[in-house]
Amino acid sequence: MINLQDYVQQWLTAFAINEHPWHITQHAPELIQSKIKTLTDDFIIKGNTAIHKTAVVEDQVVLKGPIIISANCFVGAHAYLRGGVFLGEQVSVGPGCEIKSSFVMAHSALAHFNFAGDSIIGSHVNMEAGSIIANHHNDRENKIIEVMVDGIKIKTDSEKFGALVGDDTKIGANAVLSPGTILQPKSIVRRLSLVEQC
């Protein structure tokens, strides 16, 4: 069992569930929909989308709930959030980013033209422009994603899982995290890198 608290310190405060990250992202819509029911009137809730009154969501953003956009977040023009997305406080999502079935914790930033799919992204994570978290093996016949934890390969039994990105990680411009990437807190991924752990 991966202890999410070891990677993302705020996780259990935000979502009191400690399962493997690929199980959590599979159930992102249900988890976020349940959390919407617990929010205060500091959020403007329309259907299955909750936006804090202090958040800024620019024009031409596409929101396909359930989605929570927390206090002091910024979501830039032409961003596309879908399939269950949680943004913690002071998250910045730049223009043209796509986030799918993912949890982005407080003070993290996706610069612009990023994709993050089926992932849990810790606090104070920075994804430079064009960096990608891939969530599906289009490159092989066997689509089941495996992860490497403490030198042990684990089958997820899932065809959709991006990454678990620990707190304070920096991901360089145009880097790609392959499906099933697990990054310890304070990791550094250099620009143009391909991270392929399995």
Side-chain angles (χ1 to χ4, degrees), residues 7-25:
Y7 294 83
V8 180
Q9 222 172 21
Q10 291 182 349
W11 178 258
L12 291 179
T13 305
F15 292 89
I17 180 172
N18 194 19
E19 293 183 15
H20 284 307
W22 49 91
H23 293 150
I24 290 169
T25 57

Side-chain angles (χ1 to χ4, degrees), residues 125-146:
V125 170
N126 186 284
M127 293 179 67
E128 288 184 343
S131 56
I132 302 294
I133 301 176
N135 62 338
H136 179 70
H137 276 299
N138 194 38
D139 54 340
R140 62 188 199 193
E141 278 189 42
N142 179 6
K143 308 291 186 196
I144 298 298
I145 293 166
E146 297 175 326

Side-chain angles (χ1 to χ4, degrees), residues 149-188:
V149 180
D150 298 326
I152 299 168
K153 196 181 283 190
I154 302 170
K155 284 191 176 181
T156 66
D157 295 323
S158 175
E159 293 187 5
K160 292 274 186 172
F161 175 61
L164 170 59
V165 179
D167 294 336
D168 300 299
T169 290
K170 310 303 178 205
I171 301 170
N174 294 317
V176 176
L177 306 186
S178 295
T181 297
I182 308 288
L183 294 179
Q184 294 287 334
K186 299 184 178 179
S187 294
I188 295 175

